[in-house]
């Protein structure tokens, strides 16, 4: 019902909105509370997301960082000309938002200084437009150079140096706490959340062993079904879902080579750690005691600065869960432990408050078998793994987004599959696994 509300009705119906999906994510239920999360993630008849108003996305970043920009010399005439162009751009944005039922407009520029960004946000605010800055950063010179492919070498160098010299002395990276901003970019640090690194040799060995164990288990289950008097029928097809990160994709490569269907799903990416990435628990407690207190009070809904909460992750996974419920084949999900926590919590009807502390050892595949009233979860051991890649699952606060990978780089599995209880049944099973590479990955 609330998905059909118009913006006007919603604005005048706070009690009705309280009953909408602003706080409960349709995956893990909690008792009703007075305070509400601000996000209402469903569209309205007006075509707008009424909760968020109108938004101007303003780009930030130096040239050759994956964004376009306008560059001019510093003469008085060129500055005046540039200001007229920028004013006309803003007028176009206001017209689009006010008269064309627009909600999101993109203001593409370098926006190099903090003072300029503050002024821009104030200017948009006068027109009741919220500003979101997105900074595009890159420290990898190889990627920057790729933006000049096709240029004559000498011309490319001259052009590059001219643009850099004009902007670098005046550029200030986003640090304004009062503004809304996202930093996007690349890193050469393989331990970084932003890095999309390849699976290590040890990770590939783990992936093959995990695949062999799973296939052997499926055949063993088929033989057990025959022993109990069931029909001698082929196994259900096995489908594999991974995130789009390389480590999870490569964890599924061995199964793909055996002829199994593998599909990448963007929604299966891990929880975004925000500013807490690679920070120790001691540092987090010392620098952000208020955030730690909020997290300990509500680890499911709390999000660290610039991060996602488990609630956010559950909302992101809703389409995956809807599709999962319709699966007729056996399904293997290879994903980060934070994703497995949400999926397991949904399938096994866990309380939302318990989701962040669920543990998934990396030397086990979790198998979930649907039943009439309660799903059944069992573990399939993956034996003879090197001890360094199977540390115990970390507690939630020790690393706000705990890595699911050991030194090898592959991912932890979960399977949805066929029940054992009835020789005549044929319900699909879910098996899950997580990457095992020691770094924050899928």
């Amino acid at each position: 019902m609330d998905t059909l509300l118009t913006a006007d009705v919603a604005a005048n119906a706070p009690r009705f909105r309280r009953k909408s999906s602003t706080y409960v994510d349709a995956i893990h239920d909690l008792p009703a509370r007075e305070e509400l999360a601000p996000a209402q993630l469903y569209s309205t008849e007006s075509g707008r997301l009424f909760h968020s108003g109108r938004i101007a996305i303003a780009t930030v970043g130096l040239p050759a960082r994956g964004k376009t920009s306008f560059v001019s010399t510093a003469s008085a005439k060129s500055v005046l000309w540039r200001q007229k162009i920028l004013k006309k751009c803003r007028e176009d944005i206001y017209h689009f938002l006010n008269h064309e039922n627009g909600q999101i407009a993109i203001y593409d520029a370098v926006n190099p200084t903090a003072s300029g960004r503050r002024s821009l946000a104030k200017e948009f605010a006068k027109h009741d437009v919220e500003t979101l800055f997105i900074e595009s950063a890159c420290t990898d010179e190889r990627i920057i150079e790729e933006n000049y492919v096709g240029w004559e070498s000498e011309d490319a160098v001259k052009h590059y140096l001219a643009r850099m010299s004009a902007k670098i002395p005046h550029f200030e990276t986003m640090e304004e706490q009062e503004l809304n901003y996202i930093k996007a970019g690349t890193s050469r640090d393989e331990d970084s959340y932003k890095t999309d690194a390849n699976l290590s040799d040890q990770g590939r060995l783990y992936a093959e062993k995990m695949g062999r164990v799973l296939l052997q288990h499926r055949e063993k289950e088929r033989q057990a079904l025959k022993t109990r008097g069931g029909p001698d029928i082929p196994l259900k097809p096995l489908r594999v879902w991974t995130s789009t990160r390389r480590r999870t994709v490569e964890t599924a490569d061995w199964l793909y080579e055996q002829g199994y269907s593998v599909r990448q799903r963007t929604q299966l990416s891990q929880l975004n750690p925000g500013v807490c990435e690679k920070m120790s628990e001691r540092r987090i407690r010392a620098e952000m005691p208020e955030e730690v207190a909020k997290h300990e009070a509500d680890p499911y809904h709390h999000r660290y600065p610039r991060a996602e909460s488990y609630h956010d992750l559950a909302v992101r996974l809703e389409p995956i869960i809807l599709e999962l419920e319709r699966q007729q084949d056996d399904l293997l999900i290879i994903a980060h432990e934070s994703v497995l926590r949400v999926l397991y919590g949904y399938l096994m009807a866990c309380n939302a408050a318990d989701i962040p502390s669920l543990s998934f050892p990396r030397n086990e595949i979790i198998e979930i078998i649907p039943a009439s009233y309660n799903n059944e979860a069992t573990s399939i051991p993956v034996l003879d793994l090197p001890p360094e890649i199977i540390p115990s699952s970390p507690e939630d606060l020790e690393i706000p987004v705990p890595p699911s990978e050991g030194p090898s780089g592959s991912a932890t599995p979960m399977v949805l599959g066929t029940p054992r209880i009835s020789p005549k049944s044929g319900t699909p099973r879910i098996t899950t696994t997580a990457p095992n590479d020691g770094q924050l990955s899928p």
Side-chain angles (χ1 to χ4, degrees):
M1 177 65 178
D2 47 329
T3 58
L4 300 178
L5 288 175
T6 64
D8 292 337
V9 172
N12 295 308
R15 293 186 63 82
F16 184 85
R17 188 180 179 190
R18 186 182 299 274
K19 298 177 183 178
S20 70
S21 302
T22 57
Y23 195 71
V24 178
D25 51 38
I27 294 180
H28 305 121
D29 293 334
L30 279 181
R33 298 187 182 185
E34 288 301 313
E35 67 271 21
L36 296 177
Q40 218 298 355
L41 302 178
Y42 301 97
S43 61
T44 63
E45 283 186 343
S46 69
R48 290 176 172 170
L49 302 178
F50 63 84
H51 70 284
S52 57
R54 299 171 301 171
I55 302 171
I57 296 177
T59 60
V60 177
L62 289 166
R65 263 65 176 180
K67 54 174 289 300
T68 58
S69 60
F70 176 83
V71 180
S72 67
T73 58
S75 67
K77 183 178 180 181
S78 66
V79 169
L80 181 60
W81 179 47
R82 182 174 183 273
Q83 292 301 323
K84 289 182 178 179
I85 293 175
L86 294 178
K87 182 180 179 182
K88 183 62 170 63
C89 289
R90 291 194 296 270
E91 290 173 352
D92 288 344
I93 288 175
Y94 301 146
H95 185 274
F96 169 70
L97 296 176
N98 293 328
H99 304 292
E100 298 180 24
N101 202 33
Q103 184 173 6
I104 299 176
I106 298 176
Y107 185 81
D108 185 9
V110 175
N111 291 313
T113 66
S115 60
R117 293 189 290 263
R118 290 189 179 98
S119 297
L120 182 62
K122 290 180 180 178
E123 174 66 25
F124 281 132
K126 293 177 183 177
H127 296 265
D128 196 26
V129 176
E130 192 73 26
T131 308
L132 172 63
F133 292 94
I134 298 181
E135 179 178 341
S136 179
C138 180
T139 58
D140 191 335
E141 293 182 1
R142 294 173 301 177
I143 295 176
I144 296 174
E145 290 172 0
E146 287 177 359
N147 288 314
Y148 291 88
V149 172
W151 289 62
E152 292 294 333
S153 178
E154 185 177 349
D155 290 342
V157 171
K158 289 180 180 179
H159 185 75
Y160 174 80
L161 292 177
R163 298 185 78 185
M164 293 300 102
S165 61
K167 293 297 179 184
I168 288 177
H170 309 289
F171 184 79
E172 300 169 4
T173 188
M174 290 287 310
E175 298 291 348
E176 303 87 73
Q177 295 299 316
E178 73 277 16
L179 300 181
N180 303 313
Y181 67 87
I182 297 170
K183 285 189 176 183
T186 62
S187 171
R188 301 185 71 175
D189 180 1
E190 291 198 357
D191 245 351
S192 170
Y193 166 78
K194 303 181 184 68
T195 302
D196 194 10
N198 294 98
L199 203 59
S200 67
D201 291 339
Q202 195 175 40
R204 281 186 280 272
L205 291 174
Y206 168 86
E208 180 177 348
K209 182 178 285 290
M210 180 271 296
R212 291 186 184 277
V213 167
L214 176 60
L215 298 186
Q216 291 168 5
H217 174 78
R218 281 165 51 80
E219 180 58 29
K220 181 180 177 181
E221 290 287 286
R222 190 179 77 86
Q223 295 299 329
L225 185 64
K226 287 174 54 181
T227 301
R228 295 196 299 270
D232 184 7
I233 57 176
L235 290 165
K236 280 181 169 289
L238 174 64
R239 301 187 181 277
V240 183
W241 290 355
T242 77
S243 80
T244 54
R245 301 296 292 265
R246 285 182 184 147
R247 288 191 181 117
T248 51
V249 173
E250 293 176 1
T251 299
D253 278 351
W254 186 84
L255 287 168
Y256 178 77
E257 291 168 0
Q258 310 309 308
Y260 292 94
S261 171
V262 179
R263 183 180 177 189
Q264 288 82 48
R265 310 301 301 269
T266 57
Q267 298 96 329
L268 290 173
S269 294
Q270 73 182 70
L271 204 78
N272 188 330
V275 301
C276 290
E277 181 191 1
K278 300 179 69 175
M279 292 176 64
S280 66
E281 180 183 1
R282 177 180 299 179
R283 182 180 171 191
I284 293 171
R285 289 187 179 278
E287 296 183 10
M288 294 182 283
E290 293 182 358
E291 294 294 335
V292 170
K294 293 176 183 177
H295 182 83
E296 291 177 335
D298 187 359
Y300 182 77
H301 289 93
H302 172 261
R303 64 173 70 90
Y304 284 92
R306 309 291 169 189
E308 286 181 299
S309 67
Y310 279 93
H311 167 82
D312 299 328
L313 180 56
V315 171
R316 193 214 306 161
L317 288 172
E318 283 185 21
I320 290 288
I321 289 177
L322 291 174
E323 188 170 347
L324 180 154
E325 292 278 17
R326 297 193 295 268
Q327 280 294 313
Q328 299 297 314
D329 299 330
D330 288 352
L331 177 63
L332 170 67
I333 297 175
I334 302 176
H336 186 270
E337 189 170 33
S338 56
V339 174
L340 300 189
R341 286 171 169 166
V342 173
L343 293 176
Y344 183 94
Y346 169 77
L347 292 166
M348 301 305 296
C350 298
N351 188 293
D354 298 329
I355 301 297
S357 59
L358 291 175
S359 176
F360 298 97
R362 285 182 282 273
N363 60 344
E364 295 180 358
I365 301 171
I366 307 301
E367 181 181 42
I368 299 177
I369 300 175
S372 300
Y373 299 102
N374 295 297
N375 293 341
E376 178 185 353
T378 58
S379 63
I380 306 168
V382 182
L383 303 176
D384 303 324
L385 291 174
E388 63 268 21
I389 72 171
I390 51 172
S392 59
S393 180
E395 294 297 324
D396 180 65
L397 184 60
E398 292 181 359
I399 306 176
V401 181
S404 280
E405 306 82 8
S408 65
S410 52
T412 300
M414 183 181 288
V415 179
L416 174 65
T418 310
R420 311 183 193 90
I421 52 175
S422 170
K424 298 180 181 179
S425 299
T427 310
R429 79 182 94 195
I430 296 175
T431 308
T432 64
T433 187
N436 219 3
D437 220 329
Q439 294 90 359
L440 288 170
S441 90

